Amino acid sequence: MALLQNIRVKFGVVISVIIALALLSFIIDPGTLESALYSMSSKNDVGVIDGKSISYQDFQGEVDRYSTIQEMMTGSTLKSDEAQKQTRDAAWQGLVDRMLFIKNAKAAGINVGEDEMEELITGDMVSPLISRNYMFCDETGSFNPDAVKEFVSNISADESGRAAIYWNYIQNAINVQQYYNKYGALFTVSGIDNPLMLRRAVAENNVTSDIELVTVPFPYMADSTIVVTDKEIKDYYKAHKEDFRQKESRDIEYVVFEVVPSKEDVAAANDKMVEVYEEFCSTSSIKSFLARNSERPYSEYWYKKGELSEISSALDDYAFGPASNTPSGIINVDDSFFAIRVIATAKLPDEVFVKHILLQGDNAAEEAEQVLGELRGGKNFSDLVALHSVDQNSSAEGELGAIGWMSQKRMIPGFESVMDAQEGKPFILNTQYGTHVVLVTKKSELVEKKQVAILEKTAIAGNETFNSYYSKANRFATMAAGGYDNYRKAVDSLGVYSQNLNVLESTSSIGSVANAKEVTRWAFDNKPGKVSEIMTINGNYFFIATVKGEHKEGVATINEAASSIRDILANRKIGEKKTLEVKEKIEGLNEMTAIAEALNTAVSTRNGIAFSSLTAAGADPALVGAVAAASKGEICGPVKGAYAVYVFKVTGRETGSFFTEEDARNVTDQKNQYVAQTIVPVMMEDAGVKDRRDRFY
């Protein structure tokens, strides 16, 4: 121990902890020690796959690789938040495939050999990932195996290494897809219905019943006579534990101080608006003027009546009103000020149906002129698509080369001119994707539309306003510091509104405030009872939060599940009570109208009820089952359902032939496809896969 003391003095606390852990390893179960060490390091992991931790650095390396591949495929480095999320999802799925799915597929006896891969890449069963890749197609758009060989032979000459990354990605994607095809076939091919099952499915779908129905819903208000005991809750929990699986979460309570512009700030915004208003009304350089002076840049969008109301109904009324030929006055909406000028008016369609022929390569411009001449000479558009277009996939409404209906809000970049193009007259268009021969074949009805310039000034909180709100938040944070009791005292003392919320690691919006992931991260890094310092979100929201409770991933505890179980059991008891009440009230009645009067409700009708999952969608299963077993003309009930009690009479029953064995087989196929989609999720659950990416992104 003297040696340990000397080391502690010389090297400090950290080395002492390390040595202490080493000493503890002799007396603590190794599994316990491993768990403790894992919990210390797991904060840097984005997840666990098949027992192996995935560090943030390793995962980000995968994301970077997929980003490189995406850039090569699209030619663009710009990414929206959604595109970045899709890249991260692809990187994660790639890890799951490599570390879990392929291993399990091989364990099931499945393999994809070298000869098979060769056939999938250049042989007689070429994968669509190769055959539909424009990089491996000739000038007619047909797959060219020689293009694949040429690409592979030139990989070594690419000093950037990007070609090798791309080729490895393609080969891996083909390999993985083949494993999926084979593994999925184990389920889809074996999932067949025998003749007896098919006949039963046909009968259940072809026998339909029409009924008269009286429905007595369960009461919405709590029934004070219904008592659920702790023993009943405990027994239900034991029998249904797996129904209460949950993700890790935190219960938080928080206050938020939103920085709102003061009257002085609003007046300052109005003054700035007045300063530039006259120039707005007279300038001929409206785009540059708005770029310098407005919070809303110039847009070439064509508005129809009603669309400007998304900004302000006053703007819409003015643009489409009698005085629209002159600039509006200054319009005040809340803390914003607007003025509007109509720049142009035209009759335009909302949508146009567009077809195209995509040409790429050094000779694309000359080839486009040739194709345009052939079209004007009467050649069939689809035939020319098949001969020339790189895009062989677009076939809206069954027309080869048809992109489909396009609008201003649903537009391929570079195609904006199709909105006012002449119908039936082909023309050439250049975009980032190549050279297009474009044809507009249909247009929606022409409506009046306007291009407008909007001058906008919004009041922004000044330093004095900002500081006053921060001072309020700081006063609260100072009083609340130290624990939950102090937090509640600060709430009561200052009279602020405190809100409760359960957050997952994926929660990024707190109340109506977006991009508030900082609050979520804080909650997951702290224990119940802790109170945060001020967290500034989006520059104008000051949050102070406290953790009220934590919920571990896995099966919820009985205390966590008690409230839900109590509701379930109470609903059951209410149903039983209501069923007895209905039975007593309708005793001796043999007419549906009399039964309805006794229950203070009305008779309704339901037609075409069948004992099948297809035709009974939305109906209470208890009612459907009872109807299927009931005799025609007999009053049946009361039947206790999930949320109501039913009394009914079958008034008609038909046996049709509209549902065939082929239909039954199609339903089976749909079920098999669903099963195939659950293969990997079930594997992940069985292997204890943990996806903690939300902690970092």
Side-chain angles (χ1 to χ4, degrees):
M1 292 304 293
L3 177 61
L4 180 59
Q5 176 62 27
N6 290 337
I7 292 173
R8 182 183 296 117
V9 171
K10 187 172 182 179
F11 295 101
V13 175
V14 174
I15 193 69
S16 301
V17 171
I18 294 173
I19 293 174
L21 285 172
L23 292 173
L24 283 171
S25 67
F26 287 95
I27 58 176
I28 297 179
D29 176 68
T32 303
L33 184 59
E34 181 181 351
S35 176
L37 290 171
Y38 173 76
S39 67
M40 292 169 63
S41 63
S42 63
K43 286 188 177 182
N44 296 319
D45 296 336
V46 298
V48 179
I49 299 176
D50 201 24
K52 299 178 180 65
S53 297
I54 310 299
S55 71
Y56 173 81
Q57 291 79 5
D58 289 344
F59 179 69
Q60 191 58 45
E62 286 292 299
V63 172
D64 293 342
R65 187 170 69 85
Y66 273 84
S67 296
T68 299
I69 293 163
Q70 189 67 19
E71 289 170 16
M72 292 184 68
M73 294 173 67
T74 64
S76 173
T77 58
L78 299 176
K79 285 190 175 183
S80 64
D81 290 342
E82 181 59 30
Q84 292 181 45
K85 181 182 180 302
Q86 290 173 0
T87 300
R88 292 194 296 269
D89 288 345
W92 177 257
Q93 187 60 50
L95 290 171
V96 171
D97 289 339
R98 185 165 70 246
M99 300 173 65
L100 180 65
F101 172 73
I102 298 296
K103 186 191 79 171
N104 287 348
K106 287 181 176 179
I110 294 171
N111 190 43
V112 178
E114 292 181 7
D115 292 342
E116 188 175 354
M117 283 295 294
E118 186 175 346
E119 285 295 308
L120 287 165
I121 293 173
T122 57
D124 295 329
M125 47 184 283
V126 179
S127 166
L129 291 171
I130 294 283
S131 63
R132 295 179 183 175
N133 190 321
Y134 76 88
M135 294 179 67
F136 307 129
C137 295
D138 58 23
E139 60 275 3
T140 68
S142 301
F143 171 61
N144 180 9
D146 291 335
V148 178
K149 296 175 183 177
E150 182 180 357
F151 180 86
V152 173
S153 66
N154 290 330
I155 287 177
S156 59
D158 176 29
E159 296 181 358
S160 70
R162 291 164 68 92
I165 292 174
Y166 186 57
W167 181 241
N168 287 337
Y169 162 75
I170 291 176
Q171 291 181 97
N172 181 67
I174 293 172
N175 182 268
V176 171
Q177 187 58 54
Q178 194 68 356
Y179 271 106
Y180 269 104
N181 292 339
K182 291 184 175 184
Y183 198 95
L186 295 177
F187 296 86
T188 56
V189 175
S190 61
I192 58 174
D193 287 346
N194 61 41
L196 178 62
M197 296 166 69
L198 290 172
R199 285 197 298 273
R200 180 178 177 180
V202 169
E204 288 176 350
N205 281 278
N206 279 323
V207 176
T208 60
S209 303
D210 300 334
I211 65 170
E212 290 181 347
L213 178 67
V214 171
T215 302
V216 181
F218 296 169
Y220 292 109
M221 302 296 292
D223 188 334
S224 59
T225 67
I226 299 297
V227 177
V228 178
T229 67
D230 291 342
K231 183 180 184 306
E232 289 172 327
I233 291 174
K234 186 176 181 180
D235 290 343
Y236 186 92
Y237 178 77
K238 285 183 178 179
H240 301 87
K241 263 190 174 184
E242 287 301 312
D243 293 345
F244 297 98
R245 287 202 165 271
Q246 63 184 8
K247 291 186 176 181
E248 186 175 6
S249 67
R250 298 289 185 270
D251 295 326
I252 67 170
E253 191 171 344
Y254 67 94
V255 297
V256 57
F257 296 86
E258 180 184 1
V259 179
V260 179
S262 66
K263 291 181 180 179
E264 292 76 16
D265 297 326
V266 174
N270 181 60
D271 291 342
K272 291 179 181 178
M273 187 74 170
V274 172
E275 286 177 13
V276 297
Y277 174 73
E278 292 299 330
E279 185 180 354
F280 169 74
C281 295
S282 60
T283 183
S284 58
S285 303
I286 193 66
K287 291 183 183 179
S288 60
F289 171 83
L290 292 179
R292 295 191 316 271
N293 298 288
S294 178
E295 292 162 23
R296 186 179 297 273
Y298 182 76
S299 169
E300 294 186 350
Y301 186 89
W302 288 90
Y303 292 90
K304 67 178 180 180
K305 185 169 178 54
E307 288 184 322
L308 282 166
S309 294
E310 295 178 7
I311 305 171
S312 167
S313 58
L315 296 181
D316 195 80
D317 292 342
Y318 196 89
F320 290 90
S324 62
N325 58 327
T326 59
S328 73
I330 295 175
I331 300 169
N332 180 207
V333 181
D334 298 325
D335 294 336
S336 295
F337 299 89
F338 299 92
I340 186 170
R341 277 178 61 184
V342 174
I343 304 301
T345 301
K347 292 276 190 178
L348 294 170
D350 284 337
E351 296 181 306
V352 296
F353 193 87
V354 181
K355 299 193 231 179
H356 83 139
I357 298 170
L358 175 59
L359 307 166
Q360 295 175 337
D362 295 337
N363 299 320
E366 292 81 359
E367 191 177 356
E369 291 291 348
Q370 175 192 335
V371 171
L372 187 63
E374 291 177 344
L375 278 174
R376 289 170 176 168
K379 286 286 186 69
N380 180 272
F381 195 94
S382 295
D383 290 344
L384 291 174
V385 171
L387 286 172
H388 299 281
S389 184
V390 173
D391 178 11
Q392 295 290 312
N393 296 320
S394 295
S395 56
E397 298 187 4
E399 298 182 63
L400 188 60
I403 298 173
W405 289 98
M406 299 177 72
S407 67
Q408 290 183 97
K409 295 181 179 179
R410 192 171 60 253
M411 177 65 60
I412 295 174
F415 268 70
E416 290 79 7
S417 60
V418 299
M419 297 306 299
D420 57 0
Q422 187 174 334
E423 187 175 339
K425 185 176 180 180
F427 62 98
I428 295 173
L429 190 63
N430 292 306
T431 73
Q432 60 181 311
Y433 308 104
T435 302
H436 311 255
V437 178
V438 179
L439 181 64
V440 174
T441 60
K442 291 181 281 188
K443 293 186 175 185
S444 62
E445 182 182 354
L446 298 181
V447 295
E448 184 183 43
K449 296 193 174 187
K450 301 195 177 189
Q451 281 185 333
V452 299
I454 301 173
L455 174 63
E456 179 179 352
K457 294 282 187 185
T458 300
I460 300 174
N463 289 337
E464 186 176 339
T465 303
F466 185 91
N467 290 336
S468 69
Y469 279 97
Y470 186 85
S471 178
K472 292 177 184 178
N474 188 56
R475 183 182 178 198
F476 181 91
T478 301
M479 293 180 65
Y484 181 71
D485 289 342
N486 288 347
Y487 175 92
R488 286 307 315 173
K489 289 176 182 177
V491 169
D492 295 337
S493 175
L494 299 178
V496 298
Y497 179 56
S498 182
Q499 304 179 66
N500 292 282
L501 186 68
N502 176 262
V503 296
L504 303 171
E505 279 195 304
S506 59
T507 302
S508 60
S509 294
I510 306 296
S512 61
V513 182
N515 304 314
K517 198 66 178 283
E518 181 183 344
V519 179
T520 301
R521 290 194 182 101
W522 178 88
F524 274 82
D525 286 339
N526 288 275
K527 295 293 183 182
K530 289 287 186 179
V531 178
S532 75
E533 296 180 346
I534 296 173
M535 292 178 279
T536 305
I537 306 298
N538 302 331
N540 63 328
Y541 293 96
F542 301 127
F543 277 83
I544 299 96
T546 180
V547 181
K548 292 182 65 178
E550 58 182 345
H551 306 279
K552 300 296 184 182
E553 184 173 5
V555 177
T557 66
I558 190 169
N559 290 334
E560 291 172 324
S563 177
S564 297
I565 295 173
R566 191 181 303 278
D567 290 342
I568 293 169
L569 296 179
N571 189 68
R572 284 184 181 180
K573 291 188 175 186
I574 289 171
E576 292 164 359
K577 178 182 178 181
K578 183 60 66 175
T579 302
L580 287 174
E581 290 177 357
V582 170
K583 184 177 181 180
E584 292 174 359
K585 289 181 179 180
I586 67 173
E587 190 73 37
L589 301 178
N590 54 15
E591 293 290 337
M592 290 297 290
T593 52
I595 289 172
E597 288 178 7
L599 297 174
N600 196 30
T601 185
V603 179
S604 62
T605 59
R606 292 283 297 271
N607 298 325
I609 297 176
F611 189 72
S612 72
S613 59
L614 295 181
T615 56
D620 194 316
L623 174 62
V624 173
V627 169
S631 300
K632 182 179 177 182
E634 178 184 352
I635 293 178
C636 300
V639 175
K640 181 173 74 71
Y643 301 102
V645 178
Y646 307 98
V647 180
F648 69 91
K649 179 172 72 174
V650 176
T651 58
R653 182 164 281 147
E654 294 183 8
T655 302
S657 58
F658 54 86
F659 192 87
T660 66
E661 282 196 8
E662 183 64 29
D663 294 325
R665 290 191 185 93
N666 289 336
V667 172
T668 299
D669 289 342
Q670 292 174 12
K671 292 177 181 177
N672 289 338
Q673 290 174 12
Y674 172 77
V675 169
Q677 292 171 359
T678 64
I679 289 173
V680 173
V682 170
M683 281 185 182
M684 292 170 67
E685 182 178 351
D686 185 62
V689 170
K690 307 295 183 187
D691 183 356
R692 299 192 177 105
R693 290 177 291 151
D694 288 328
R695 179 180 296 170
F696 301 91
Y697 302 100

